[in-house]
Amino acid sequence: RQLFTILPLVAATAYTLLLIALVVRGSAQSGHRWWFSTVLIASILWALSLFLIPASMQPNVSQWLLAASTALLGATTAAYVGWNTEHRWLFMGAVPLLLAPLFDLLWPYPRWLETQLRETWQPTTGTLLTLSTWTALNLAILGLSWREYSHTRPPWHANRLLHWIVFVGATAFGELLTVMPNVWLSAPGQIFRFAAIIGLFRAITSHRLFDVRARLRRGFAFTLTSLVSAIPAAIVFTTILRMRESFPVRDWLAFYVAAMLVIAGGFVLYQPIRRRVSRIVYRYLVGEEFQAGKVVRRYSRAISRTLDMQQLAHEIVGTISDLLQTTRGALLLVGAIEEGYEVEVIPGLNHPQHGRKVFAPGSQFIASLLEQPQPLLQYDLDFNPYYASLTPDERQWLAEQDMEVYVPIHHAEQLDGLIALGPKASGLAYRANELELFQVLAEQTVIALQNARLYSELNRQNDRIRSLNIDLRQQNERLEILDRIKSDFITIASHELRTPLTQVKGYADILTHLNEAGPVEQSETRRIMEHINRAAARLEKLITALLDASELETTGMELARMPATLDMAFNLALEPLNAALHERRIQLKREGVGDIPQLEVDPQRLAQAFHNVLGNAVKYTPDHGVITVSAALVPGVDGKQDYVEVVIADTGIGIEPRYHQLIFEKFFRIGNPELHSTGATKFKGGGPGLGLHIAKGVVEAHGGHIWVESSGEDENNLPGSRFHILIPMSAEAKTEIKGLEIERLTELRSGEIGD
Ligand code: ADP
């Protein structure tokens, strides 16, 4: 009894030591640490009050302090779990506690209380209120934590909560004992409470907690095994005792020897029975033990067969999942790059998709896995202060992977990859021997991973060579075409030149004949001269085109820039085509051409370019077609210099994509040159293959760009062609529009058009 009276003093000292340890150990002061120190302070005061204030004194200060410490424990729980309700707990605790002394003053023993309880226990109304508060707070803490626990899926995260619940429950139980009026209960209660507080202290100061569920299971399994395997021995023992009664006393020596033999036999039997029983109990309660050697052998065999990275990920995660019922997993490839480490996800089992993430060079996630070949738990990433410096971005990516453990695959001091595994289907945490096994399996994976990497690299190279081959073939085709153009040139030139020349000569002959036959009428001469003139004009046009083309080749195109409107250049270009448009019933639409402000261009040359493109549109569009000319301003890449983009779209036969570049080549024409019928505006009338080449020369001399869009050639469905001409508004922009920028603009424009 003497010992029991100083027990509270010992407890107060112990709580003080805990408080000191908390302050000393706590370098990173987080919220729950702070709240827990208030619980310890309340506990110290409570223990002191037990020692200093006699229990009979009213109001009962020690119970009041106990309830206060429970309210503080509620706030600690809120901070520990992350509810953000710390102040609500204080309020819930404080209000009834403030009322308790008031009740004690006004109605310490109301009538109903007297009659009901006075015989055995004499609580005041204040005490009752305090104790009810204490009960309610404890139930609330346990209930809410339990709810949180049952919603938490990752096993170690859940374990953290379960550990907390177990020790809060133990604290409450210890407190319940101390409140009992019997000293044989209250003294052990104090010790029990202190032990439970140590459990909470561990939860607060360390993230490494034992696996509560596994330990409970093992404890239960051990007890069950011991009890069941003791049954035969117990039966033998009782039987002997029975027999002892029926044996005559004089034969006691014989009996003794026999009994000893039987007992020895029982003990000899006990071990094998126990072994057998424990195997059964553990299989059903704890889970079967695996044989590491066998697992490793099977695993190595499975993964050594695969070269494909995807297949390897399936094999790795699949084998582990077969063994431990892992629900999900992936293989992560790690590669050092300039910005740090790149992690590439190869989905294995139930992992949604491929992904990449770059971790900074100093990232704790990679650094710790590099340093030590040990599995890293997601739980550690969340609660171990070592990983506090992970960036929110990295943290979120890791959380999204929703994995339980990362097992590093090391190769020559380098981190080659990671095996990422989700939780087990049972929701239980991985045991230490399982984590060890993972590490062994990861070591077995090194070679397979290297092989798969080499194999995929080989595949990549193959693909590259294949695409290079395709490029080469395309280049070859192009060269062949260009070569063909050269020989075609002779055919085209002779054809194009001979036709008008033959006409001139033919009509001149007719005229000579007529002249020799007699006087020629004036109207007849005019008709013939018209024919000769037209043929001469065609000849002239052809020669001009040839000269332009050669000018482009030798000196480049000279421009005479002056302020001009787009409208004007268009009118110049259209004039010679008007008759043909009318005759072929082709409709011409203009959109926005008149709205473009003055440009600084060579209007003659620009008109020539437009004319060539428009002429083609007329030629390759069947009768009754539509040609649309639209113009719009386009902001330059730097935003301030404006360009004008002209689109000439027709509803004609279209152009095969493989010819989209070639048609701008000199003398290039699609199809067989000999099959072309000559004609400037006839449907599909051929030309010398210079029109677009010159147009391109003009546009580029202006610092612009010309390209075509068309889905393909089809005379029946008439997909049409769209020629884009992009020209800077003035000469200054010339340099900026060249090169890469133009490609970006092209992309931009074609994106808008939706081609
Ligand atoms: P040509 O002087 O023979 O018309 P171009 O250089 O103007 O030569 O055009 C080259 C080739 O591009 C033409 O032979 C024709 O096959 C094709 N082409 C040009 N414009 C069009 C168009 N609007 N629709 C279909 N094909 C076209």
Side-chain angles (χ1 to χ4, degrees):
R1 273 192 177 269
Q2 204 61 36
L3 197 72
F4 287 162
T5 45
I6 61 155
L7 192 61
L9 213 55
V10 178
T13 321
Y15 286 126
T16 314
L17 289 177
L18 268 192
L19 183 62
I20 292 169
L22 185 71
V23 173
V24 171
R25 279 183 68 164
S27 50
Q29 283 289 331
S30 47
H32 52 264
R33 232 174 236 273
W34 188 86
W35 280 110
F36 190 63
S37 65
T38 64
V39 174
L40 288 179
I41 293 169
S43 303
I44 296 168
L45 295 178
W46 167 70
L48 286 178
S49 78
L50 282 183
F51 179 71
L52 296 174
I53 305 169
S56 53
M57 207 189 96
Q58 297 300 340
N60 195 327
V61 178
S62 64
Q63 277 168 19
W64 196 89
L65 281 169
L66 199 58
S69 98
T70 308
L72 290 169
L73 189 58
T76 313
T77 308
Y80 185 75
V81 182
W83 286 327
N84 270 336
T85 53
E86 288 87 328
H87 297 95
R88 215 176 294 164
W89 288 95
L90 287 192
F91 182 75
M92 285 195 301
V95 171
L97 294 182
L98 290 179
L99 291 181
L102 200 70
F103 273 48
D104 270 351
L105 267 181
L106 298 179
W107 318 277
Y109 298 105
R111 187 172 300 277
W112 59 269
L113 203 66
E114 259 171 74
T115 51
Q116 295 287 313
L117 287 166
R118 279 212 77 170
E119 295 302 310
T120 48
W121 185 38
Q122 301 172 352
T124 59
T125 42
T127 304
L128 277 184
L129 188 69
T130 314
L131 288 181
S132 337
T133 308
W134 174 85
T135 313
L137 283 171
N138 270 316
L139 288 179
I141 298 175
L142 290 172
L144 290 174
S145 308
W146 185 265
R147 207 180 59 178
E148 189 76 37
Y149 162 73
S150 58
H151 288 314
T152 306
R153 215 167 39 84
W156 280 106
H157 292 66
N159 183 60
R160 179 175 180 264
L161 294 172
L162 192 60
H163 184 278
W164 187 258
I165 291 170
V166 166
F167 285 101
V168 169
T171 312
F173 180 68
E175 289 171 358
L176 184 70
L177 291 184
T178 58
V179 181
M180 294 291 160
N182 184 336
V183 73
W184 294 103
L185 288 178
S186 73
Q190 284 180 48
I191 298 172
F192 198 86
R193 181 186 193 268
F194 179 70
I197 289 280
I198 289 183
L200 293 179
F201 176 84
R202 244 194 98 63
I204 291 285
T205 52
S206 164
H207 63 280
R208 290 229 163 268
L209 304 173
F210 63 86
D211 186 343
V212 180
R213 276 176 296 188
R215 216 171 258 198
L216 284 179
R217 253 168 215 256
R218 274 174 184 276
F220 185 61
F222 180 79
T223 319
L224 197 64
T225 311
S226 308
L227 286 179
V228 171
S229 28
I231 289 175
I235 291 174
V236 169
F237 203 69
T238 41
T239 321
I240 290 170
L241 285 185
R242 284 269 175 76
M243 275 156 61
R244 167 90 173 76
E245 283 158 23
S246 49
F247 261 82
V249 179
R250 56 195 150 79
D251 277 348
W252 68 270
L253 188 66
F255 167 77
Y256 187 73
V257 171
M260 275 336 244
L261 280 177
V262 172
I263 289 175
F267 273 111
V268 170
L269 267 184
Y270 177 76
Q271 272 311 322
I273 292 176
R274 193 192 154 90
R275 212 174 302 135
R276 215 145 289 174
V277 171
S278 94
R279 201 175 303 153
I280 297 170
V281 168
Y282 273 75
R283 177 180 306 167
Y284 289 104
L285 273 179
V286 183
E288 220 169 333
E289 290 290 324
F290 48 78
Q291 286 169 297
K294 218 159 113 189
V295 172
V296 170
R297 228 171 304 132
R298 207 174 61 203
Y299 178 83
S300 307
R301 209 173 314 134
I303 60 168
S304 63
R305 280 197 300 257
T306 41
L307 278 176
D308 179 61
M309 199 59 95
Q310 183 61 64
Q311 187 66 26
L312 185 66
H314 281 308
E315 288 287 354
I316 292 174
V317 182
T319 316
I320 294 177
S321 166
D322 285 347
L323 183 69
L324 299 174
Q325 278 73 50
T326 296
T327 48
R328 52 210 308 281
L331 176 66
L332 310 190
L333 302 181
V334 182
I337 55 169
E338 241 171 73
E339 300 89 348
Y341 291 92
E342 188 187 49
V343 175
E344 186 189 348
V345 184
I346 314 283
L349 176 74
N350 292 333
H351 192 282
Q353 66 235 4
H354 285 265
R356 265 167 215 283
K357 169 83 190 153
V358 175
F359 284 87
S363 170
Q364 242 82 35
F365 175 63
I366 299 287
S368 71
L369 287 167
L370 249 178
E371 274 162 26
Q372 43 190 324
Q374 262 170 25
L376 172 61
L377 295 172
Q378 174 67 37
Y379 173 77
D380 271 308
L381 291 171
D382 288 339
F383 293 110
N384 188 342
Y386 176 77
Y387 299 100
S389 64
L390 283 181
T391 63
D393 184 42
E394 293 171 344
R395 207 169 270 289
Q396 193 193 335
W397 188 83
L398 288 167
E400 274 167 15
Q401 302 310 305
D402 199 7
M403 290 297 177
E404 181 65 14
V405 58
Y406 294 93
V407 191
I409 303 172
H410 280 266
H411 173 64
E413 309 274 302
Q414 290 289 334
L415 185 60
D416 218 17
L418 300 169
I419 302 174
L421 297 169
K424 288 192 212 174
S426 63
L428 290 177
Y430 288 113
R431 284 180 280 154
N433 61 340
E434 289 165 349
L435 294 178
E436 248 164 53
L437 177 75
F438 291 161
Q439 198 47 58
V440 175
L441 295 185
E443 278 154 25
Q444 297 295 313
T445 316
V446 175
I447 303 291
L449 185 59
Q450 285 287 320
N451 285 345
R453 268 185 194 268
L454 286 176
Y455 180 71
S456 69
E457 182 57 28
L458 205 67
N459 270 346
R460 233 199 312 271
Q461 293 294 356
N462 266 347
D463 283 348
R464 254 189 50 165
I465 290 175
R466 209 168 298 137
S467 79
L468 279 178
N469 261 344
I470 292 173
D471 276 359
L472 214 61
R473 203 172 319 130
Q474 280 169 351
Q475 285 295 339
N476 236 350
E477 264 171 29
R478 201 181 134 87
L479 283 177
E480 264 170 32
I481 290 171
L482 288 181
D483 201 46
R484 209 186 66 211
I485 291 172
K486 267 192 202 150
S487 53
D488 284 356
F489 164 65
I490 312 289
T491 328
I492 295 166
S494 54
H495 182 75
E496 294 286 326
L497 285 169
R498 208 178 36 215
T499 316
L501 209 61
T502 317
Q503 283 172 348
V504 171
K505 200 164 165 300
Y507 284 111
D509 281 351
I510 292 172
L511 206 62
T512 320
H513 273 297
L514 286 177
N515 217 12
E516 278 166 10
V520 191
E521 262 182 44
Q522 203 177 10
S523 65
E524 217 164 353
T525 329
R526 194 181 311 124
R527 206 167 47 84
I528 291 171
M529 287 316 289
E530 262 171 24
H531 281 296
I532 293 181
N533 269 338
R534 210 176 304 150
R538 261 189 73 184
L539 215 51
E540 191 192 356
K541 201 172 152 191
L542 182 63
I543 289 165
T544 317
L546 282 170
L547 286 177
D548 281 344
S550 103
E551 183 186 334
L552 270 180
E553 193 120 309
T554 50
T555 54
M557 193 163 277
E558 293 277 313
L559 294 184
R561 284 189 189 260
M562 61 184 75
T565 61
L566 205 58
D567 233 10
M568 180 178 130
F570 254 106
N571 289 338
L572 276 174
L574 269 175
E575 212 175 53
L577 292 170
N578 275 333
L581 285 172
H582 185 73
E583 187 188 314
R584 304 255 327 271
R585 307 236 176 279
I586 293 176
Q587 193 191 345
L588 186 102
K589 288 189 195 161
R590 286 194 193 206
E591 287 167 7
V593 180
D595 306 337
I596 304 296
Q598 273 201 342
L599 310 154
E600 211 186 290
V601 289
D602 183 336
Q604 296 290 345
R605 284 295 190 189
L606 210 53
Q608 186 185 9
F610 289 152
H611 173 81
N612 290 355
V613 177
L614 281 168
N616 282 341
V618 174
K619 271 200 287 188
Y620 296 101
T621 302
D623 294 3
H624 303 283
V626 183
I627 297 173
T628 314
V629 179
S630 52
L633 291 179
V634 183
V637 268
D638 58 354
K640 57 179 190 276
Q641 178 68 54
D642 278 339
Y643 300 92
V644 59
E645 185 182 27
V646 178
V647 179
I648 298 172
D650 61 46
T651 55
I653 59 172
I655 306 168
E656 287 294 332
R658 64 190 165 124
Y659 295 133
H660 285 184
Q661 312 248 337
L662 282 167
I663 52 172
F664 295 100
E665 292 292 340
K666 194 167 42 171
F667 300 120
F668 179 82
R669 314 184 330 178
I670 298 168
N672 190 338
E674 301 193 43
L675 296 183
H676 275 279
S677 62
T678 322
T681 56
K682 262 199 295 186
F683 180 48
K684 291 174 71 185
L690 284 174
L692 289 180
H693 179 65
I694 293 170
K696 185 177 181 203
V698 171
V699 172
E700 285 183 354
H702 278 91
H705 192 63
I706 178 168
W707 71 100
V708 69
E709 289 168 357
S710 173
S711 58
E713 187 177 330
D714 186 342
E715 252 176 74
N716 299 319
N717 293 322
L718 302 173
S721 313
R722 300 170 62 89
F723 280 84
H724 294 250
I725 299 171
L726 193 67
I727 342 171
M729 300 289 284
S730 65
E732 288 90 72
K734 188 171 166 173
T735 48
E736 287 169 42
I737 200 164
K738 282 247 161 104
L740 269 182
E741 277 87 359
I742 199 68
E743 247 132 58
R744 206 193 68 88
L745 267 177
T746 315
E747 258 167 40
L748 192 112
R749 299 302 296 165
S750 56
E752 262 172 35
I753 292 153
D755 200 63

